[in-house]
Amino acid sequence: MARQEETGCEPSEEERGMWNEKEIGESLVSAGFRRIRPRNWARRTGDVVQLVNLQRSQWSKEDNYLNFALWPLVMGEPPSLAENRFPFRLRVETPGGIAAFLPLLERDFGSLLRLRESIGAYRAVAWVTLELRAILDD
């Protein structure tokens, strides 16, 4: 609220954490994801399952968050397609929205090898289980 008082204008949707659900869904389906729940999309590559979750804020109707999770298939099949069960998770805060995030899905998260090569860039912002850290460090 202080920002509005200081500048005299509303924060942008991106600054408020407002993701466009329709745009996200269309972009993800075009990229090979399938909708598995109203605000969840998943796809399987050769050796990982990728999950994108649009989470509504419990405190504000205006806010929502885009979460990404990855399950390496060397760990077997995921027990469920629930984002909080996956061993690699991060909140997407990419300026430029979903169009800017989709290339990262391929470059950094398209396979276990790519994750292994890029994990250093995400250590400060990603949640990684000890089990996955051991796999990546091998």
Side-chain angles (χ1 to χ4, degrees):
M1 198 62 138
R3 180 180 171 86
Q4 184 178 359
E5 292 168 4
E6 290 171 18
T7 63
C9 64
E10 285 284 326
S12 71
E13 287 184 353
E14 195 168 286
E15 290 171 317
R16 280 197 325 253
M18 193 63 158
W19 292 87
N20 182 311
E21 185 173 342
K22 183 178 181 201
E23 177 187 357
I24 289 167
E26 290 172 356
S27 297
L28 290 171
V29 168
S30 293
F33 283 78
R34 64 182 177 86
R35 185 175 229 139
I36 56 171
R37 291 192 192 105
R39 289 178 304 282
N40 290 277
W41 298 264
R43 78 172 172 182
R44 180 184 295 255
T45 66
D47 59 348
V48 297
V49 174
Q50 299 173 326
L51 180 77
V52 177
N53 162 260
L54 184 61
Q55 175 187 358
R56 290 189 178 145
S57 171
Q58 64 185 14
W59 294 283
S60 170
K61 290 180 183 179
E62 290 83 30
D63 291 340
N64 55 37
Y65 306 98
L66 194 64
N67 302 310
F68 171 73
L70 182 136
W71 184 281
L73 292 170
V74 297
M75 296 174 66
E77 289 294 321
S80 76
L81 291 177
E83 179 259 343
N84 65 349
R85 297 286 210 74
F86 277 47
F88 179 89
R89 301 187 338 236
L90 67 91
R91 177 149 295 158
V92 179
E93 294 181 0
T94 308
I98 192 70
F101 182 65
L102 284 174
L104 297 180
L105 286 175
E106 300 303 325
R107 187 190 76 199
D108 297 342
F109 310 117
S111 69
L112 185 59
L113 176 62
R114 289 188 187 137
L115 178 63
R116 184 176 281 133
E117 292 170 349
S118 62
I119 191 70
Y122 296 95
R123 285 204 190 263
V125 296
W127 182 86
V128 182
T129 64
L130 291 175
E131 182 181 11
L132 179 55
R133 284 196 192 276
I135 291 169
L136 294 173
D137 291 340
D138 277 348

